[in-house]
Amino acid sequence: MEEGRRGGVCPQLLDLMPNKRDWIVKDDGRGGEMKASQLEVESLELRLGLPATEEEKDPSVLSLALFYKSSKTTTTNNNNNKNHHCAGSKRGFFGTFESRTEGPQQQKTSGANLKDELPQSQERKAAHEAPENASAANMNSQTRAASVPLVGWPPIRTFRKNFATGSSKPSPEPQSGDLQSKVKLEDCKKGLFVKINMEGIPIGRKIDLSTYNSYEKLSLAVEEHFRDLLAAQKDPSTADTLKDGEKQVFTGLLDGTGEYSLIYEDNEGDRMLVGDVPWDMFVSMAKRLRVIKSTDLSVIRVQDQYAGKEQQQSVELY
Amino acid sequence: MTEDCDGEEKDEETRRWSPGQGGSSSSSSRGGGSGTSASSPFKNRCVRGRVDQPPPFSGQVLENVLENVLQFLPCRRDRNASSLVCRSWYRAEARTRLELFIGNCYAVSPARALGRFRCARALVLKGRPRFADFNLVPVGWGARFSPWVAAMAAAYPWLERVCLKRMTVSDADLALLARSFSSFRDLTLICCDGFGTPGLAAVAELCRNLRVLDLIENDVEDEDEEVVDWISRFPETDTRLESLSFECVNCPVNFAALEALVARSPSLRRLRVNQHVSVGQLRCLMVRAPQLTHLGSGSFETVPVADGAAELDVAELESSFVASKSLVCLSGFRMVAPEYLPAIYPVCAGLVSLNLSYAMTTAEQLKPVILRCHNLQTFWVLDTVGDEGLRAAAKTCKHLRELRVFPFEATEDSESAVSDAGLVAISEGCQKLRSILYFCQRMTNAAVVTMSKNCQDLVVFRLCIMGRHRPDHITGEPMDEGFGAIVMNCKKLTRLAVSGLLTDKVFEYIAKYGKLVRTLSVAFAGNSDLSLRYVLEGCHKLQKLEIRDSPFGDAGLLSGIHHYYNMRFLWMNSCKLSLRGCKEVAQRLPRLVVEVFGDQNKELDGDAVEKLYLYRSLVGPRDDVPSFVKIL
């Protein structure tokens, strides 16, 4: 077994393992209790053969560096309701894994799993490992930028959350009416930051719909966000040049004439073409955005709404 | 709002449901019919009488006497206890209970509650679990006021007061309420939703005896076209209004009408306006109502007016405050223009309660205010006040009972100007502290231990370290010892919220020492089911347990079977529960309603349970279950 091919779209293996991802074991009842910690997976990255076993694990399984799509339907025993991504990265154990962007909690969970599930002889080892992983993960959590926000954490009611959007620091001058109206507009419960993914690019962005007031501005913003990523994707060495070429890609985003089209997922979960409704209505309804190839408009795969959007390709298990 | 228990809904028969434990509630220990504390000569007669047979004449006299006596018993726990003495006392108590408190609207049906307490004049009703405030309960889950108001319209024509928390109240409900009760006086809505200005207009217009209209932190939805000028709907004559709070109503109000209303409300003592009322307008209101005791300002800045009218002079504003000699409570302060803040200096010394938690001000701007508030007992503030500001509060506010420090930026990675140092300062200066809610990013066990030793009167301790799993930032250890010290040293503690990096150990402490804890909030804590087991086995007074994102599974859940009938509810989301475990609980405890659900659009699939909400109920599964909720 080997690392699965990913259709040549995803970047190199190492890029698929950003520090913020973590892994938990799902207890699928098949008896193979496997635990992957971030450290472990990193160590596995460099090997194709049997990794040095610091833990008593089944070596034959560890030797498989498999790619997995963890689909939502096989998700069981989740203990987090967000971000069940399918990530084409190295996992390769009996159990199904999920990547997480909430690192430390999963570290702790994996530590906890370990405590419960591993045989006695391993418990001490697990106990040592859990705090170490937790603190490592904590450091990671602190170094990473504000990651995907959790629902309802910190536990503050919505109307108390308006501050940071209004101004970054309390200002010594009187706040203008402009600010006042902006804070009025910022209705955080509508979630004006929405994810936006582009077909062919594994990493998505987040954009704040409230900072635009028209579809044209949105289209420009989309271009801005993905231009560089797209360039890096196509040919890393020529990322700096190609400005004109890239500009071509993003024209006609809204009217279907370009190479790409913009669609969104509304609050009822339906996928819609951007541009039909008035801007304000769109802002209140759009939950996430997607840039897809115009040719795909007619053949959109029904993707699991919880499948990871950051990894565009589903990776096949060989 | 106090978080008291609601034990009164159960009558004798339900005491016997407690499997094998003989009912561990705090009131009587009766099982069969042997009362313990009743007056003995009459006891046997009362016990043997059936509820449908009239008591003998002497029993009747006793009941009348009893009713007169029981009228002096306002506390509902005492009433619960007295209702368990015997059937005679039960009847007498039921006839004399004036305020009906229902902590979980689904624990009992309107028919049943109103059928037992036929003379109630006031209703306090709570609906959704608290985690609904943080978007963890999908919209449409339930807790509608409609069935209650419909039942009361028929049963309680003399109803005077209603207080609702986390219920869905429609405009139609408010209209029905307004029409049905001629003596209606007090309406308090806290964290409710479903209504808008049309409903408020109905209340204003039809409740002729309205004294209190307090709208606190509700989600008032109005489409722009449908906004109604509800303030203008109050009767033209002098009103009996004592309290009017509408901070949460997002649309502008007709200021002229508001000013006129205030002018013709001689009893008005509490006025809290929304942010559309400018400080200049506020001053007009203060002039009209110098007798105010509680004032909630709107915005505390002037929006420049188009006609070039001069902005309000600080001195003028200050003079208004000087004139308001009775002010004891100040709140509001959204959009504070810092140069206006000094206007409140004259009243600071008299303030008992100050809520600056919307005021985006720096520590430097706040300190002069704080340093004047010698009599402050309740202080809500943003963490921009910083450790330095808290030190000022500790130095000055020696009578502080309640402190809440909210985060300016409520994200995990934000910088916070308050830390363990501020907590220590407060603990040293404000030793009468009873309640604290503290958001921060950096905390140490030592600071929490210090607070536990200095503030022995603590009843509510809620510490939220916003970064998940954050350890003690100096020692790197879990926060177990700090919270352990709190439960150990603060013997009056009834409410606790924990955070930071926590292992099973902290729950062991809570179980061992937190014998009075009634409400416990847990997030991202613990290592294993042991934690949940400790708490459910050790905290005998536990009423409300809310848990999120912690590795607790079926084994932990099942360890509470002996206790769930004594609790108001258990909430768990994003833990490690499975349908199998939840079903077992549902089977073994038939009087428990076990709801499982996921996010709104997501069908339940697989064995994993995303959200669990279980609660005791006298009436079984509710009939308004939405499609995404499954009752096991």
Side-chain angles (χ1 to χ4, degrees), chain B residues 558-570:
Chain B
L558 291 169
S559 64
I561 293 238
H562 68 288
H563 190 61
Y564 291 138
Y565 279 154
N566 298 331
M567 289 175 63
R568 189 182 297 177
F569 70 81
L570 167 67

Side-chain angles (χ1 to χ4, degrees), chain A residues 5 12 27 47 75 93 101 111 113 138 142-143 152 178 181 219 227-228 256 272 289 301:
Chain A
R5 301 287 172 222
Q12 299 165 10
D27 180 17
R47 291 180 262 237
T75 300
F93 307 97
T101 53
N113 283 340
N138 274 330
Q142 279 157 21
T143 52
D178 203 5
S181 57
S219 174
R227 178 175 48 212
D228 294 333
M272 317 287 288
L289 296 170
R301 272 173 309 163

